[in-house]
Amino acid sequence: MDFRFDNSCIAIAVALLLGVVPQTARSQTMEERLQRGDAVVRSLNNRAPQPALERMRQEFPFLAGATQGFALGDVWSRPGLDGRTRQLAAVAVFAAMGETAFMRIHAGYALNIGVSEEELKEVIYMVTVPAGFPRAIAASQTLSELFTERRAAPGKQP
């Protein structure tokens, strides 16, 4: 017998073995999950694909597919939180982790969907308590750069 698995089958199998795929996602096709993930990105990124995800897809297609299908298609599209809350939470978590590149992407999304600069600044102030001043300062510098670029750009895109 010749068994062939594509990357989406492998991703689902690994996730099932690790128990990280919700029961509802198990009965959905990978294509449905990828479509939901694409819809999430486009809803946050002014109807455009996410450039970092598209670059990743070139050299790391499995990782890009897993990110789009699971992180975006399964987790990010869940009911229970609105887009603003999800983006503010993502900014806070990435800032607290010191992951300013990811924080910047989500701060851009937050601005795209109506979160104000002042609200993002408040999130960074909150980061000082659980994560410390060095991470909050790094996050504030990244946000300042993003704000400056968006203010200077026509149409204020991320």
Side-chain angles (χ1 to χ4, degrees):
M1 268 188 180
D2 183 29
F3 291 102
R4 294 177 194 233
F5 297 98
D6 66 9
N7 287 342
S8 63
C9 291
I10 294 168
I12 292 169
V14 169
L16 287 170
L17 287 172
L18 296 175
V20 295
V21 176
Q23 184 64 35
T24 56
R26 294 178 188 179
S27 63
Q28 298 168 353
T29 69
M30 187 61 169
E31 185 58 34
E32 290 169 328
R33 297 166 72 221
L34 290 170
Q35 287 174 354
R36 270 197 322 276
D38 184 59
V40 167
V41 166
R42 288 175 185 276
S43 74
L44 298 169
N45 202 35
N46 296 324
R47 310 308 311 153
Q50 209 300 317
L53 184 61
E54 295 309 311
R55 283 190 304 274
M56 185 182 0
R57 196 177 315 284
Q58 298 305 308
E59 289 201 55
F60 299 93
F62 171 79
L63 184 57
T67 300
Q68 185 175 336
F70 177 69
L72 298 167
D74 288 342
V75 177
W76 218 265
S77 64
R78 290 178 52 79
L81 293 176
D82 62 21
R84 289 174 52 83
T85 304
R86 283 186 196 283
Q87 290 312 314
L88 290 171
V91 168
V93 169
F94 286 127
M97 292 173 62
E99 295 289 345
T100 56
F102 289 113
M103 185 210 72
R104 180 188 175 103
I105 290 169
H106 287 277
Y109 291 160
L111 291 167
N112 288 347
I113 63 173
V115 173
S116 71
E117 289 184 8
E118 290 306 313
E119 289 171 301
L120 288 169
K121 289 177 183 179
E122 288 299 324
V123 167
I124 300 311
Y125 299 150
M126 292 297 300
V127 167
T128 61
V129 176
F133 280 91
R135 290 207 173 152
I137 291 168
S140 73
Q141 292 168 340
T142 299
L143 274 184
S144 289
E145 292 168 5
L146 175 64
F147 295 161
T148 299
E149 288 173 17
R150 287 180 68 107
R151 289 177 193 139
K156 299 182 180 178
Q157 299 297 312

